[in-house]
Amino acid sequence: MIIKKVRAFSLAFKNHHREVINVIRARILCENSVFRNTGAIAEHGWSVFLETDTGNFLLDTGQGQGLINNALLFGIDLSSIEGIILSHHHYDHTGGLLSLLNHTKKRVPVYAHPDLFKQSFIRTADKEVYIGIPFNKVLLENRGAEFTFSREPREISPNIFLTGEVPRMTDYETGDTNLVLKQGEDYTVDTVPDDQSLAIKTPAGLFVVLGCAHSGIINTLEHIKRITGENRIHTVIGGTHLGPVSEHQRNESIKALHTYNISRIGVSPCTGLPTSARMAAEFGSRFMFCNVGTLVEA
């Protein structure tokens, strides 16, 4: 695994001495498949309800069709959340935000990147499709969103960290060139620097919830280790974005994952079925599919 040198972080929270979080219950509310949960709705997207002993949070909101239905089905009180975390601007992670705000009827912090409202597309040889957040800032603020934007890592609650922008350090995690930004008639590749992940310190090590890992899953995990000061990674769930990337990136990232001694790896939509099947074979009992209704505890 080749990783470029990067400057050392000097974050104030890196050496704090608070107790770690002892209770985590992560319930998958939005994903593109459902098994054995009658009444649940599947959709291409991602949302995770996080219940911890220092407060409850929601990471991402799916497309907007399944979030409220599935929360009610699994007995989850969405009004209990102390914050909403948006991993990045794509519609399948932000599309349920308006319905969530309408449902909770409360003002709530929304942690996001300053580029949340950028205009982005997926472009192929025969089509161009808008894939950004489907709502404007004013509407969401009027419904209760209190946006707090940052490009930097931050500790939003004791021992709960957001990565901010993830530096690209490996020489093989180059991303997806079909994602573009449009200015007039010109296009530029969107490297999705706004994509961030969440990490929670537990007695067993880090509990990581990915958005889509657009900057690369290895880049993301290395960044998390630096900002938290914790080298042990116990659990990783979420989008690895290993589906749309090159075969070379896929092979190198999976090879590198084997070096981390991760106890549990659970994947979601952007991993893709062929890559998910490969990872299930390679990681064996440590692997899980994070479908709607899956409960991951620590």
Side-chain angles (χ1 to χ4, degrees):
M1 177 173 60
I2 299 174
I3 298 179
K4 301 171 186 175
K5 291 182 179 179
V6 65
R7 65 177 176 85
F9 283 82
S10 58
L11 300 177
F13 54 69
K14 184 172 180 179
N15 295 311
H16 66 74
H17 299 288
R18 300 190 187 103
E19 294 297 323
V20 295
I21 288 180
N22 293 297
V23 177
I24 302 172
R25 290 168 54 88
R27 175 76 73 173
I28 312 306
L29 294 183
C30 295
E31 211 268 345
N32 64 353
S33 55
V34 173
F35 297 128
R36 298 184 302 277
N37 285 306
T38 303
I41 295 174
E43 64 183 19
H44 181 81
W46 182 239
S47 180
V48 184
F49 179 78
L50 292 161
E51 182 181 358
T52 81
D53 49 8
T54 63
N56 299 340
F57 295 86
L58 187 76
L59 185 139
D60 289 338
T61 65
Q63 285 192 47
Q65 302 303 312
L67 177 61
I68 306 303
N69 175 85
N70 295 343
L72 293 172
L73 180 70
F74 297 120
I76 290 173
D77 179 11
L78 291 174
S79 67
S80 70
I81 58 176
E82 296 184 12
I84 301 165
I85 300 151
L86 297 179
S87 65
H88 61 299
H89 72 288
H90 285 157
Y91 73 100
D92 51 331
H93 296 256
T94 61
L97 182 55
L98 182 60
S99 61
L100 171 63
L101 294 169
N102 288 336
H103 176 76
T104 59
K105 295 181 172 61
K106 61 182 279 189
R107 303 205 67 79
V108 60
V110 180
Y111 300 96
H113 187 280
D115 291 345
L116 178 64
F117 295 97
K118 66 184 178 183
Q119 301 293 298
S120 74
F121 300 80
I122 185 166
R123 190 184 187 213
T124 61
D126 58 346
K127 64 179 180 179
E128 172 186 296
V129 179
Y130 176 74
I131 56 172
I133 185 171
F135 317 110
N136 66 58
K137 184 171 180 281
V138 172
L139 171 62
L140 295 170
E141 288 177 329
N142 285 340
R143 299 300 173 86
E146 296 182 345
F147 289 103
T148 169
F149 298 111
S150 179
R151 301 177 186 274
E152 302 299 324
R154 49 184 164 167
E155 187 176 15
I156 62 172
S157 187
N159 293 297
I160 300 179
F161 303 86
L162 296 185
T163 63
E165 293 185 6
V166 175
R168 296 197 175 204
M169 300 173 296
T170 61
D171 62 352
Y172 52 84
E173 291 179 306
T174 56
D176 184 353
T177 58
N178 286 334
L179 304 179
V180 298
L181 301 174
K182 186 177 182 181
Q183 294 182 330
E185 298 301 317
D186 298 325
Y187 295 89
T188 57
V189 173
D190 183 10
T191 59
V192 200
D194 52 300
D195 184 52
Q196 62 182 337
S197 298
L198 175 144
I200 303 174
K201 278 190 173 183
T202 79
L206 294 168
F207 189 107
V208 175
V209 186
L210 305 169
C212 265
H214 280 283
S215 293
I217 187 170
I218 303 305
N219 284 333
T220 300
L221 295 181
E222 287 297 311
H223 184 57
I224 285 171
K225 286 165 58 178
R226 287 193 304 276
I227 67 173
T228 62
E230 172 62 81
N231 289 322
R232 298 171 304 148
I233 300 175
H234 183 269
T235 299
V236 177
I237 63 173
T240 67
H241 211 67
L242 290 173
V245 298
S246 69
E247 186 68 19
H248 174 66
Q249 177 173 337
R250 188 177 303 115
N251 290 340
E252 292 300 310
S253 292
I254 292 175
K255 181 171 69 174
L257 275 175
H258 281 286
T259 69
Y260 283 85
N261 195 32
I262 300 169
S263 297
R264 297 181 298 188
I265 300 177
V267 301
S268 65
C270 60
T271 304
L273 289 178
T275 304
S276 298
R278 173 182 170 179
M279 293 177 71
E282 292 194 24
F283 290 95
S285 61
R286 293 185 292 156
F287 178 88
M288 72 183 85
F289 290 98
C290 283
N291 310 120
V292 171
T294 299
L295 178 64
V296 186
E297 298 182 280

